[in-house]
Amino acid sequence: MDAKFTSNIKKLRKEFNISQLQLSLEIGYGKSIISYWETSFRIPCADAIIILSRYFQVSTDYVLNLTDDNTMLHRIDDFEVDMSTFNLRLKELRKQKNLSQDQLALKTGLTQTSINHWEKGKCIPTADAIVALARYFGVTTDYLLGESD
């Protein structure tokens, strides 16, 4: 993940005037995890990106620094993330392009096994994978993650 992403989490946290500890208590991730995200030591998974966008009231694209549009969205206090929409949309988008999982893997630099697991809901993709898929399909991360239509 590029350095712009890490600065966006920290930037949003500073705009809300909260510490890493406060954010960790609010969203249910450990303080050390938030520190790792801010320093690029770890890359958040898709569910964490959704939670951050809901908490900070911005799009997932903004959290991921794919857009400069930081229009405040309606706050969603529900941090229960259902990845089933992502699973379905990934499969639908792949089929619309008439691609096998192997072909999609080659075009995106991801693995066929990962794509298969995501479509079946067996695991959650990282932010890097979400960005790669959204860019390839020409959709927003919000759409891909089921946060918009």
Side-chain angles (χ1 to χ4, degrees):
M1 185 55 62
D2 66 44
K4 291 179 183 179
F5 172 74
T6 58
S7 65
N8 253 5
I9 293 176
K10 189 173 187 174
K11 177 183 171 187
L12 285 163
R13 188 175 55 75
K14 298 259 185 212
E15 286 175 8
F16 274 62
N17 197 29
I18 60 171
S19 67
Q20 289 178 343
L21 178 60
Q22 288 171 300
L23 180 59
S24 73
L25 294 171
E26 291 279 335
I27 67 171
Y29 283 87
K31 180 186 173 290
S32 60
I33 296 295
I34 291 167
S35 176
Y36 292 156
W37 293 340
E38 289 185 2
T39 59
S40 296
F41 187 71
R42 284 208 179 141
I43 299 170
C45 290
D47 55 346
I49 298 300
I50 292 170
I51 290 170
L52 288 165
S53 74
R54 289 177 181 179
Y55 181 82
F56 290 119
Q57 305 165 329
V58 294
S59 69
T60 58
D61 281 346
Y62 185 77
V63 172
L64 293 167
N65 206 36
L66 299 175
T67 181
D68 293 330
D69 182 5
N70 66 346
T71 303
M72 296 298 272
L73 304 174
H74 178 70
R75 178 138 184 199
I76 301 172
D77 289 323
D78 179 9
F79 295 149
E80 280 295 316
V81 176
D82 178 4
M83 294 298 294
S84 62
T85 301
F86 164 76
N87 309 134
L88 293 171
R89 286 188 176 167
L90 174 59
K91 190 172 188 174
E92 288 171 3
L93 288 165
R94 180 178 60 79
K95 287 188 175 209
Q96 284 174 7
K97 290 212 178 240
N98 201 26
L99 296 172
S100 68
Q101 290 176 347
D102 287 326
Q103 291 168 321
L104 179 58
L106 287 172
K107 292 183 180 290
T108 60
L110 303 168
T111 68
Q112 181 275 331
T113 302
S114 293
I115 292 166
N116 180 276
H117 285 177
W118 298 330
E119 287 184 4
K120 292 182 176 182
K122 291 184 176 181
C123 65
I124 298 171
T126 63
D128 284 344
I130 293 295
V131 170
L133 291 166
R135 284 183 174 156
Y136 176 75
F137 289 118
V139 298
T140 65
T141 58
D142 287 301
Y143 175 79
L144 190 58
L145 292 169
E147 292 294 289
S148 72
D149 291 326

